[in-house]
Amino acid sequence: MTRLSVNINKVATLRNARGGNMPDVTKAALDCERFGAEGITVHPRPDERHIRYSDVRIIRPLVATEFNIEGNPIPSFVDLVDEVVPDQVTLVPDAHDAITSNAGWDTLKHKDFLTEVCREFKSRGIRTSIFIDPDPLMAEGAAACGADRVELYTADYAAEYPMGPEIAICRYLETAKAARACGLGLNAGHDLSLENLAYFVKTIPWTDEVSIGHAIICDALYMGLERTIAAYLAEIRKK
């Protein structure tokens, strides 16, 4: 069964726009769990424009489901992960000034670096996932780096879905099969929504986890957070 992890970065973005503590990011994380989310994802960036390192330290001991930290493994991020010991760390090669993640790792070019990072986190008992584009070679490279899972960057799938789901998912299905053949677990995230989520999970049913933030918070403006999370869980469980 595919699990839903809610990325709460956008809640922090809204809080930071005005200062103070409204909305309360910690309460949002716990409410997501209470409403059925099976994991919480945070993606702290060096400029702390949304989730702050201090948020991560506060939220970590309170989360009862799976806690996933995403980010570029720069030294400060590595230190944070080693400190709070999440259930999962997702390695994302985003530049410090990126608005949002926009590409996966080249796991062949960066094999030595990623192998070292995977070794560090796995020594702490942390499941390690590498964020990749839909390319079977990148999945095979991630396995060679010692990763436990890959997360497929699904922006292209979401963009192409309205023009034809079968074509949109083709590269993702090939990469998912390659990951499974290498013994890797499979996550997916970026621009997954109520429109395209069910087809993705139905076509690649061995997807372990989807991490969704932006679309959930946008839908929650109209539907409310509880109804929105229920709707996403229903899409995941469609037969």
Side-chain angles (χ1 to χ4, degrees):
M1 179 68 71
T2 304
R3 299 165 66 90
L4 173 65
S5 184
V6 177
N7 186 320
I8 59 171
N9 276 23
K10 283 298 185 292
V11 179
T13 301
L14 184 59
R15 175 200 62 188
N16 296 352
R18 287 288 296 269
N21 194 42
M22 188 172 73
D24 186 324
V25 174
T26 301
K27 183 178 186 301
L30 299 181
D31 283 343
C32 286
E33 288 189 313
R34 184 163 58 90
F35 297 150
E38 296 146 319
I40 299 296
T41 292
V42 293
H43 189 148
R45 287 184 165 87
D47 62 6
E48 298 196 322
R49 63 181 180 271
H50 33 63
I51 286 291
R52 301 167 181 155
Y53 280 31
S54 58
D55 292 325
V56 177
R57 294 185 177 99
I58 291 169
I59 294 169
R60 172 63 184 116
L62 302 177
V63 170
T65 58
E66 179 178 284
F67 192 59
N68 172 47
I69 301 180
E70 298 179 343
N72 195 330
I74 60 175
S76 59
F77 179 85
V78 172
D79 289 345
L80 177 68
V81 173
D82 280 341
E83 176 188 345
V84 303
V85 190
D87 300 292
Q88 177 175 265
V89 59
T90 302
L91 309 180
V92 183
D94 50 356
H96 71 280
D97 57 349
I99 295 175
T100 185
S101 304
N102 55 19
W105 284 98
D106 183 331
T107 57
L108 305 180
K109 180 179 179 181
H110 299 285
K111 179 181 178 181
D112 291 345
F113 173 69
L114 292 171
T115 298
E116 180 182 348
V117 175
C118 287
R119 184 183 302 117
E120 164 69 20
F121 290 148
K122 291 179 72 172
S123 73
R124 301 279 287 158
I126 303 168
R127 184 199 309 131
T128 304
S129 177
I130 297 179
F131 194 67
I132 64 169
D133 295 321
D135 181 338
L137 289 178
M138 295 302 105
E140 292 166 4
C145 292
D148 300 295
R149 292 185 183 180
V150 289
E151 178 173 329
L152 299 182
Y153 173 49
T154 49
D156 287 346
Y157 164 74
E160 296 167 8
Y161 181 87
M163 296 172 281
E166 298 85 358
I167 295 175
I169 207 165
C170 184
R171 289 181 297 142
Y172 292 88
L173 181 57
E174 291 178 3
T175 308
K177 289 178 178 178
R180 184 168 60 171
C182 293
L184 294 172
L186 184 71
N187 299 338
H190 207 92
D191 291 344
L192 294 175
S193 68
L194 290 175
E195 177 186 12
N196 57 45
L197 177 58
Y199 184 80
F200 188 95
V201 174
K202 180 180 179 180
T203 307
I204 310 176
W206 62 92
T207 304
D208 292 297
E209 173 186 297
V210 291
S211 177
I212 305 174
H214 184 76
I216 283 179
I217 299 306
C218 289
D219 288 334
L221 291 174
Y222 299 94
M223 299 168 59
L225 187 58
E226 183 171 7
R227 284 183 58 206
T228 298
I229 290 176
Y232 276 80
L233 290 169
E235 289 299 300
I236 289 172
R237 287 157 175 68
K238 276 185 177 178
K239 302 298 184 181

